[in-house]
């Protein structure tokens, strides 16, 4: 059992949902023990005078009683509770907060919009990979935070008084999903964004990530419908059109959209459309964490890693006692192969990065057993919390690991939604070859290999006599040529003078 002194809890009293995150500190990183979420829809209890109804407060207190049982085992200094937009503006907030503090046995801090934005950015910086010059978008129940930052530092922080619950009550209160309702909601959101747009655009961010339930819902829809993980304006417009076709909120049915998220999905979608239009966003992906993670890492005082993904890979290598030298050897070789055929196969930096990540943990399955090691590797990767990786990237890496040797499941490679299917197939081919050529686990035994790609045909060029001098690896390569030919990937072994 974990020591109570190593346990921490972060609680976020949001306008739509209350969340509790419980973690254990393990060697400078965190292990999640519990995530508890309840739809409270506190913002829906605000009247025209910003007075919170007794019914909404009762829903909130009921949720906090559930949280309180968990908190009894955690040191008070390791608990932080914050309240956001609705309790910032409710004129009778104290009527809710005084009983809330008694229920939890902990202070509740009502944080400013700027502090909420700062904590959201910290949560993203600790858990999200990719470029560290980023725009972060978090559409909450009662407010929307827009933050531009670089690395661990938030540079521009804005909290706007619009959210998926308040926009639902204001623009979709008749529960009609008409074109007019959407246009009014989007226009109102654009007017809120416009005063801060120039500051955000001038900050020069490279990537955009979304850190809210609306973006999570979009990810679930896209996965269910076989799309890639990138949220684009065209996809948002398609979903808006689908919602309008449904006509009524009660009849909203979109494949992948859960009943729990459906109520506030159209209002969140209208705000996101406004953000895309006003800020000229081309593509957005899902962040790995947000407010709760920002609170947690702040309590633990863990500094933001230069590369979140590298930290995650190192933690996995340490946890499963992987042979790091062999992982680096295979990774270098796979990267060399990828760069040799990059032009012919249209491989980009995304491909190099994901190939590197897969090869650095490709032997993780051996920690269970050599028998079915690729399947063990895929299972561990798919079901482990991997900060820095999106769900789609995690699925791709697991799929590559499952196909690192023996029979190839092309359908599996085609079903991931991080890369185009053909790119994923090509990374799989290169990784399999790198594993074979590095199989003696010593640098001096790795031959010089030249690759030449022509469409799907891959020529493997080796020095004259190498195959005869290395009969075991020659056998592996012949078998590999057959495995790849079974799935119509021509692999030709050639010796050159």
């Amino acid at each position: 059992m974990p020591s109570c002194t190593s346990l921490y809890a972060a609680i976020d009293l949001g306008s739509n949902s209350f969340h509790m995150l419980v973690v254990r500190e393990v060697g400078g990183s965190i292990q999640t023990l519990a995530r508890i979420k309840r739809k409270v829809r506190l913002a829906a209890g605000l009247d025209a005078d910003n007075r919170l109804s007794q019914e909404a407060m009762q829903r909130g207190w009921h949720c906090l009683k559930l949280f309180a049982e968990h908190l009894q085992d955690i040191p008070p200094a390791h608990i932080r509770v914050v309240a956001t937009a609705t309790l910032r503006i409710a004129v009778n907030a104290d009527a809710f907060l005084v009983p809330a503090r008694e229920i939890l046995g902990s202070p509740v801090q009502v944080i400013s919009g700027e502090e909420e934005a700062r904590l959201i950015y910290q949560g993203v910086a600790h858990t999200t990979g990719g470029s560290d010059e980023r725009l972060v978008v978090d559409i909450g129940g009662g407010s929307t935070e827009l933050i531009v930052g670089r690395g661990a530092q938030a540079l521009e922080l804005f909290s706007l008084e619009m959210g998926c619950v308040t926009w639902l009550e204001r623009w979709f209160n008749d529960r009609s999903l008409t074109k007019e309702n959407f246009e009014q909601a989007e226009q109102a959101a654009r007017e809120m964004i416009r005063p801060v747009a120039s500051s955000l655009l001038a900050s020069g961010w490279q990537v955009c990530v979304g850190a809210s339930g609306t973006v999570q819902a979009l990810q679930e829809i896209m996965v269910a419908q076989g799309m890639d993980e990138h949220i684009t304006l065209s996809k948002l417009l398609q979903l808006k059109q689908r919602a309008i076709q449904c006509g009524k909120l009660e009849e909203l049915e979109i494949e992948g959209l859960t009943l729990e998220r459906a109520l506030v999905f159209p209002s969140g979608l209208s705000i996101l459309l406004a953000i895309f239009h006003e800020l000229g966003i081309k593509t957005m992906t899902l962040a790995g964490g947000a407010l709760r993670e920002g609170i947690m890492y702040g309590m633990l005082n863990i500094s933001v890693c230069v590369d979140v993904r590298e930290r995650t890979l190192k933690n996995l290598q340490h946890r499963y006692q992987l042979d790091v030298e062999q992982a680096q050897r295979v990774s270098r070789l796979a990267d060399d192969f990828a760069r040799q055929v990059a032009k012919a196969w249209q491989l980009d930096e995304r491909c190099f990065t994901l190939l590197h990540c897969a090869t650095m943990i490709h032997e993780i399955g051996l920690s269970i057993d050599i028998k079915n090691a690729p399947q063990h590797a895929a299972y561990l990767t798919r079901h482990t919390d991997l900060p820095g990786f999106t769900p789609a990237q995690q699925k791709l890496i697991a799929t590559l690991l499952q196909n690192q040797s023996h029979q190839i499941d092309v359908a599996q490679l085609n079903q991931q939604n991080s890369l185009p299917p053909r790119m994923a197939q090509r990374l799989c081919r290169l990784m399999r070859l790198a594993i074979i050529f590095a199989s003696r686990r010593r640098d001096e035994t790795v031959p010089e290999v030249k690759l030449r790609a022509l469409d799907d045909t891959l020529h493997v060029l080796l020095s004259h006599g190498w195959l005869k001098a290395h009969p075991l690896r020659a056998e592996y390569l012949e078998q590999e040529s057959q495995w790849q030919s079974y799935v119509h990937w021509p692999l030709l072994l050639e010796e050159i003078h």
Side-chain angles (χ1 to χ4, degrees), residues 264-436:
V264 294
F265 180 72
S267 50
L269 178 60
S270 67
I271 293 171
L272 195 57
L273 278 162
I275 293 168
F276 263 70
H277 281 300
E278 287 297 319
L279 300 182
I281 297 168
K282 303 294 183 202
T283 183
M284 171 189 281
T285 53
L286 180 65
L291 178 59
R292 290 168 297 289
E293 289 76 13
I295 296 167
M296 191 63 74
Y297 280 100
M299 275 196 291
L300 287 162
N301 201 26
I302 297 173
S303 62
V304 173
C305 182
V306 175
D307 191 319
V308 177
R309 291 175 187 153
E310 286 299 321
R311 181 189 68 195
T312 295
L313 295 173
K314 284 178 182 175
N315 284 344
L316 285 174
Q317 289 171 340
H318 176 73
R319 180 176 172 184
Y320 293 102
Q321 299 184 346
L322 303 188
D323 183 340
V324 177
E325 287 186 7
Q326 177 65 3
Q328 291 171 338
R329 189 175 294 114
V330 172
S331 183
R332 284 194 301 269
L333 195 53
D335 185 74
D336 176 48
F337 289 171
R339 292 183 189 278
Q340 286 189 47
V341 296
K343 188 173 181 183
W345 276 359
Q346 297 179 313
L347 305 181
D348 56 22
E349 284 300 325
R350 283 181 307 163
C351 297
F352 302 144
T353 298
L354 290 166
L355 183 59
H356 164 73
C357 294
T359 51
M360 290 300 283
I361 56 169
H362 75 280
E363 291 189 322
I364 194 171
L366 295 176
S367 62
I368 296 178
D369 187 33
I370 191 169
K371 187 179 180 182
N372 300 320
Q375 286 74 24
H376 299 322
Y379 181 87
L380 289 171
T381 304
R382 193 172 280 120
H383 297 286
T384 300
D385 181 25
L386 301 182
F389 296 91
T390 65
Q393 290 167 346
Q394 192 164 342
K395 184 178 180 182
L396 170 64
I397 292 170
T399 304
L400 288 173
L401 297 190
Q402 186 150 352
N403 288 279
Q404 65 182 285
S405 62
H406 297 91
Q407 191 170 341
I408 301 162
D409 188 338
V410 177
Q412 218 180 40
L413 290 161
N414 292 348
Q415 284 162 7
Q416 57 74 40
N417 63 329
S418 181
L419 290 176
R422 183 163 280 190
M423 276 189 182
Q425 293 172 21
R426 289 168 170 175
L427 295 190
C428 178
R429 300 180 73 177
L430 299 174
M431 184 175 77
R432 290 168 68 97
L433 285 172
I435 290 168
I436 291 171

Side-chain angles (χ1 to χ4, degrees), residues 42-43 45-58 61 85-101 110:
L42 206 61
L46 287 172
D47 65 16
D49 299 318
N50 283 336
R51 183 169 292 276
L52 206 52
S53 71
Q54 191 67 24
E55 292 80 9
M57 289 195 276
Q58 288 289 353
W61 294 328
T86 296
L87 291 166
R88 279 199 291 269
I89 63 172
V91 295
N92 60 337
D94 281 345
F96 176 79
L97 290 169
V98 171
R101 290 173 181 128
V110 180

Side-chain angles (χ1 to χ4, degrees), residues 96-228:
F96 176 79
L97 290 169
V98 171
R101 290 173 181 128
E102 290 175 2
I103 292 167
L104 293 173
S106 292
V108 180
Q109 181 186 10
V110 180
I111 56 175
S112 68
E114 187 170 296
E115 174 65 2
E116 183 179 356
R118 187 190 69 78
L119 287 169
I120 288 166
Y121 185 81
Q122 285 300 308
V124 171
H126 273 285
T127 60
T128 307
S131 171
D132 64 356
E133 294 184 335
R134 53 175 78 91
L135 167 66
V136 176
V137 176
D138 190 315
I139 302 168
S143 66
T144 293
E145 280 66 46
L146 301 169
I147 315 107
V148 173
R150 183 178 300 113
Q153 187 66 40
L155 304 175
E156 297 283 351
L157 298 157
F158 296 103
S159 181
L160 309 179
E161 289 186 7
M162 61 177 178
C164 56
V165 177
T166 51
W167 247 231
L168 169 69
E169 301 300 328
R170 195 172 302 172
W171 304 109
F172 299 91
N173 60 352
D174 60 357
R175 301 306 192 250
S176 294
L177 301 178
T178 63
K179 183 180 177 184
E180 291 71 29
N181 281 4
F182 266 103
E183 285 180 354
Q184 287 179 335
E186 285 173 47
Q187 191 55 43
R190 291 182 75 159
E191 287 170 10
M192 295 282 286
I193 299 160
R194 220 161 269 151
V196 304
S198 57
S199 296
L200 292 166
L201 289 167
S203 301
W205 40 272
Q206 298 296 312
V207 297
C208 177
V209 294
S212 61
T214 297
V215 179
Q216 178 71 50
L218 285 164
Q219 286 285 301
E220 290 165 2
I221 290 167
M222 293 191 300
V223 169
Q225 298 186 12
M227 299 185 231
D228 68 36

Side-chain angles (χ1 to χ4, degrees), residues 69-80:
E69 182 180 353
H70 229 317
L71 297 181
Q72 291 172 25
D73 306 316
I74 302 173
H78 291 188
I79 299 168
R80 187 176 179 196

